[in-house]
Amino acid sequence: MTDSKDPDTAAGETSEGSPSGISATDFVDIDDLTPAELQRVLDRAAAMKASEDGSRLSDVTLGMLFEKPSTRTRVSFETGMTQLGGHAMFLGPDDIQLGHGEPLRDTARVLGRYVDIVMARVFDHEDVVTLAEYADCPVINGLSDDAHPCQTLADLLTLQEHFDDDVSVAWIGDGNNVGQSFVLGAAMAGIDVTVATPAAYAMEDGVIERAGELGRAPTVTTDPEDAIAGADVVYTDVWVSMGQEDERERKLAAFDGFQVNEELLAGTDTKVMHCLPAHRGEEITDAVMESDRVLVWDQAENRLHAQKALIVELLAE
């Protein structure tokens, strides 16, 4: 977890009677929250989605740092800040060179004097860690090569909407950043997960161990059919992530048999999750994506509500 910091500027006002914010100052990975704080963010997100929480953040600026392009991350954060009464500032790779031209810690220090909160979507996870250490304001990990905790918030909100407390999920495919954050968040939420990946693309041992320490380590296998047996939900993601294009042919060969398709789902009522964008015909078929099994569009919408709730909680006094 990141160290706490004392912001030197007021972060805005929440609605009258709003309780104090969560204890975490930064959101670098999902377990920067305690399980109770995680549930609190999810409950606020659900209330915001139902228009039962009118929290507002007046005169608050979110600085959005993008090394990687994105549809959902940019639109959900920017729209969320507008709905909260604040402002989002997009800083793309042509606007700001993270770690180039000046040390990243200097950029972080300056940003912390200008904006009230930072969201960074980067390649190197250590860049988010550095931003969180040196920026004198909360920092949110919008995605790094190691973690995607904002997606996990949306995933858990989606599962909370569609299932009771007794739900099991099969993660099938690459043991990537999305999967790793989801396994940790699921452990915190008491959700049973089975992970099926090719041996060469397994999740990091440290992530599996952290999940166990958080309460519930996933079952690990290399057989997708074993993973999906009895699962309520199957979750997959792209096999070839941004920046891995030179590995494409090798990865496609390694993931043969891991596609979420009609054959794998036959005879089950299993729902399907995907964080998008989907490479239809690779990790998932077009037919599955267009079926009534998918919770994908709820996941995508819930990025907006979950991130609004997170921002309010991080900035609450």
Side-chain angles (χ1 to χ4, degrees):
M1 293 180 62
T2 50
D3 295 331
S4 61
K5 301 171 293 188
D6 293 322
D8 57 5
T9 57
E13 297 178 356
T14 58
S15 58
E16 184 176 355
S18 176
S20 298
I22 53 182
S23 62
T25 304
D26 302 301
F27 189 64
V28 175
D29 208 342
I30 193 72
D31 53 344
D32 278 342
L33 306 178
T34 67
E37 289 170 343
L38 172 60
Q39 189 58 55
R40 175 170 163 166
V41 171
L42 295 177
D43 288 344
R44 184 184 285 274
M48 286 180 160
K49 187 172 184 178
S51 299
E52 296 172 353
D53 183 311
S55 297
R56 300 282 290 174
L57 298 173
S58 59
D59 300 322
V60 170
T61 298
L62 167 68
M64 305 189 301
L65 279 59
F66 282 83
E67 282 190 325
K68 296 184 177 185
S70 170
T71 301
R72 281 153 294 279
T73 298
R74 178 176 180 180
V75 175
S76 58
F77 270 105
E78 195 161 330
T79 300
M81 284 302 294
T82 299
Q83 292 178 357
L84 289 170
H87 170 68
M89 178 187 302
F90 176 83
L91 297 168
D94 294 332
D95 301 309
I96 184 170
Q97 298 293 320
L98 293 182
H100 303 286
E102 70 175 0
L104 181 57
R105 60 184 181 273
D106 291 359
T107 301
R109 287 172 170 132
V110 170
L111 283 174
R113 301 289 182 108
Y114 290 151
V115 303
D116 303 287
I117 187 166
V118 169
M119 184 282 295
R121 182 178 172 90
V122 300
F123 287 97
D124 189 348
H125 185 77
E126 287 305 310
D127 285 348
V128 182
V129 173
T130 299
L131 286 166
E133 181 177 359
Y134 288 95
D136 198 16
C137 69
V139 172
I140 295 171
N141 181 0
L143 177 141
S144 69
D145 281 355
D146 288 351
H148 197 353
C150 289
Q151 181 63 53
T152 298
L153 289 178
D155 297 338
L156 295 177
L157 180 59
T158 303
L159 290 172
Q160 181 174 288
E161 289 175 340
H162 287 272
F163 298 93
D164 57 23
D165 293 336
D166 187 18
V167 58
S168 60
V169 180
W171 174 273
I172 295 179
D174 193 9
N176 63 11
N177 50 359
V178 176
Q180 293 188 154
S181 286
F182 178 76
V183 162
L184 296 175
M188 296 169 68
I191 295 171
D192 287 322
V193 179
T194 300
V195 175
T197 68
Y201 296 97
M203 292 186 184
E204 296 176 6
D205 290 341
V207 170
I208 303 300
E209 293 171 4
R210 278 165 67 194
E213 292 168 359
L214 289 168
R216 194 165 298 196
T219 301
V220 177
T221 180
T222 57
D223 188 332
E225 292 187 359
D226 282 350
I228 200 173
D232 300 299
V233 179
V234 59
Y235 193 170
T236 192
D237 190 15
V238 296
W239 297 336
V240 184
S241 299
M242 193 178 303
Q244 297 179 339
E245 289 77 11
D246 58 341
E247 302 178 43
R248 179 178 179 77
E249 295 306 317
R250 180 163 56 89
K251 294 197 79 172
L252 291 183
F255 285 96
D256 184 38
F258 283 81
Q259 185 184 73
V260 176
N261 53 33
E262 300 91 326
E263 182 180 359
L264 182 66
L265 298 171
T268 75
D269 296 321
T270 307
K271 299 297 185 181
V272 176
M273 294 172 63
H274 194 304
C275 66
L276 300 178
H279 294 172
R280 301 184 185 211
E282 292 183 8
E283 77 279 356
I284 193 167
T285 62
D286 186 76
V288 171
M289 281 293 293
E290 294 297 331
S291 72
D292 59 5
R293 291 178 179 270
V294 296
L295 306 179
V296 173
W297 318 118
D298 289 340
Q299 284 178 270
E301 178 186 346
N302 284 338
R303 287 287 302 274
L304 171 66
H305 309 298
Q307 289 160 188
K308 285 171 62 179
L310 175 68
I311 290 168
V312 168
E313 291 286 350
L314 286 174
L315 293 179
E317 297 180 349

